[in-house]
Amino acid sequence: MDRIEAMRAFVTVVSEGTFTRAADRLKISPQLISKYVSQLEKHLGVRLLNRTTRRIHLTEAGTHYHQRAQQVLNDIDDMENQLGNLQTEAQGLLRISAPVSFAIRHLALLLCEFQKKHPAVGIDLQLNDRKVDILEEGFDIALRIGHLKSSSLIAKRLASVRLVLCASPAYLEQYGTPQRPEDLREHRYLRYSYMNTDSSHSLEKWLLDRSREHTRGISSNNGDVLIEAASAGAGIALQPTFIAGPAIKEGKLKIILPEYEPEPMALYAVYAHRQLLASKVRSFIDFIDGFFGNPPYWDRFE
């Protein structure tokens, strides 16, 4: 018995609903489909399907086996697609959506190096801090930063993203250095308006309370503006190190309350389908994976 073919026959019967339709889809006879399923049940020692003259029904064992078998077949197809793509030159226009500040600071070199390796791929990079709809807006890949929620999209983790609370030495000298999160009530907060704040975290709770008062501080949808403002002494900012790192390294900013840092976020490459992935998309995913290092190079400032 060819176990892979038997597995594929069983999964197709389940998806098509009858042996006849499964046979049509696989372009083999219904008798061979039935033989494959029977051999599979005999091999496993369990009944996978209850058959009637009109319908088939999965048994409990069949339900469990179907889920795993579908994943195995997907993995096999994916592996074969990858091998096929090795023989196909990556080409065409690759449309990428990326966060504004991250792209400006960290994507130019990556894209240049990628095109040196894949000269037949054109790049259309669109910068936007909002969450784009990949399918609706026609993007091949979106780079996203945060704690991703479950979705139908495929997400590849690329690097950790550390958040630090920081202020200029001059500001801290004038207003004092907070020693506890509750000390933040006396300070100006430079708030990133797109940030999702976790009110259960002690530091973020106090920052959320400060942002609700709106009596002092600055709010902006761009982290570079907030880091420049913090460096000029305007207040305290909570920003990722891929933006704040250079100012910290140059002594323009100091990290405060490091023991209360929020849980690190991550940078992800998000795309729509795992199967039949275009060679230009797969090539870019493979290229960007590991490009930033572990830990990422932007955290090498201390």
Side-chain angles (χ1 to χ4, degrees):
M1 177 186 67
D2 185 327
R3 289 173 64 185
I4 300 300
E5 289 305 313
M7 190 182 297
R8 196 178 299 278
F10 166 70
V11 168
T12 307
V13 168
V14 174
S15 64
E16 295 296 324
T18 70
F19 283 71
T20 301
R21 287 201 295 267
D24 289 341
R25 180 174 169 184
L26 295 177
K27 295 181 171 51
I28 58 179
S29 69
Q31 293 78 13
L32 186 54
I33 289 280
S34 180
K35 179 182 177 181
Y36 274 144
V37 174
S38 296
Q39 288 179 336
L40 190 59
E41 289 177 326
K42 183 178 179 180
H43 172 73
L44 297 171
V46 294
R47 181 174 290 278
L48 300 174
L49 297 171
N50 286 322
R51 306 161 177 82
T52 66
T53 54
R54 293 185 178 181
R55 298 182 62 185
I56 61 168
H57 301 274
L58 282 168
T59 64
E60 182 180 1
T63 299
H64 289 296
Y65 186 80
H66 176 260
Q67 294 172 347
R68 300 297 296 273
Q70 183 69 71
Q71 184 61 54
V72 168
L73 293 173
N74 286 343
D75 289 342
I76 291 173
D77 291 341
D78 195 33
M79 176 183 66
E80 291 178 351
N81 290 334
Q82 290 185 45
L83 293 175
N85 282 336
L86 290 176
Q87 307 303 319
T88 305
E89 180 186 10
Q91 56 186 320
L93 182 65
L94 183 66
R95 299 198 69 230
I96 304 170
S97 171
V100 177
S101 293
F102 183 83
I104 291 172
R105 289 172 174 264
H106 302 287
L107 283 190
L109 176 61
L110 181 147
L111 295 178
C112 289
E113 293 299 319
F114 174 75
Q115 285 196 309
K116 288 179 182 177
K117 190 172 182 180
H118 302 283
V121 178
I123 302 292
D124 178 11
L125 176 66
Q126 299 293 318
L127 308 189
N128 204 315
D129 285 333
R130 69 177 176 84
K131 186 178 178 181
V132 300
D133 186 319
I134 293 178
L135 296 176
E136 191 71 24
E137 299 179 49
F139 287 104
D140 296 299
I141 297 171
L143 299 182
R144 290 182 181 166
I145 295 168
H147 301 288
L148 293 194
K149 299 177 181 178
S150 60
S151 75
S152 60
L153 300 174
I154 308 301
K156 172 71 174 179
R157 189 181 188 279
L158 302 174
S160 63
V161 175
R162 178 186 173 192
L163 291 171
V164 293
L165 199 65
C166 52
S168 70
Y171 175 89
L172 296 175
E173 183 177 351
Q174 182 176 354
Y175 295 101
T177 301
Q179 302 300 317
R180 300 171 299 173
E182 48 265 41
D183 295 341
L184 294 171
R185 68 172 61 142
E186 304 300 329
H187 289 270
R188 293 185 175 90
Y189 176 39
L190 310 179
R191 176 177 172 268
Y192 179 59
S193 53
Y194 285 166
M195 185 171 291
N196 294 320
T197 306
D198 180 5
S199 60
S200 65
H201 187 278
S202 58
L203 177 64
E204 294 182 78
K205 176 183 180 299
W206 284 102
L207 294 177
L208 184 62
D209 290 342
R210 294 297 302 118
S211 66
R212 285 170 176 163
E213 294 177 11
H214 293 295
T215 56
R216 296 184 293 175
I218 297 173
S219 177
S220 174
N221 65 354
N222 182 267
D224 281 287
V225 170
L226 297 176
I227 286 300
E228 288 298 319
S231 298
I236 295 175
L238 179 66
Q239 282 293 304
T241 51
F242 67 74
I243 299 177
I248 295 170
K249 187 173 184 179
E250 294 168 11
K252 296 179 181 179
L253 293 175
K254 291 182 64 176
I255 295 176
I256 59 177
L257 299 176
E259 63 273 26
Y260 294 98
E261 278 183 19
E263 188 72 20
M265 301 186 295
L267 170 69
Y268 295 90
V270 179
Y271 48 101
H273 300 292
R274 188 164 66 95
Q275 291 180 298
L276 302 177
L277 202 58
S279 57
K280 62 182 180 180
V281 177
R282 187 176 300 284
S283 296
F284 185 78
I285 297 296
D286 291 342
F287 184 84
I288 197 173
D289 186 19
F291 183 88
F292 302 114
N294 185 24
Y297 64 76
W298 54 73
D299 276 343
R300 300 167 194 163
F301 55 82
E302 294 182 313

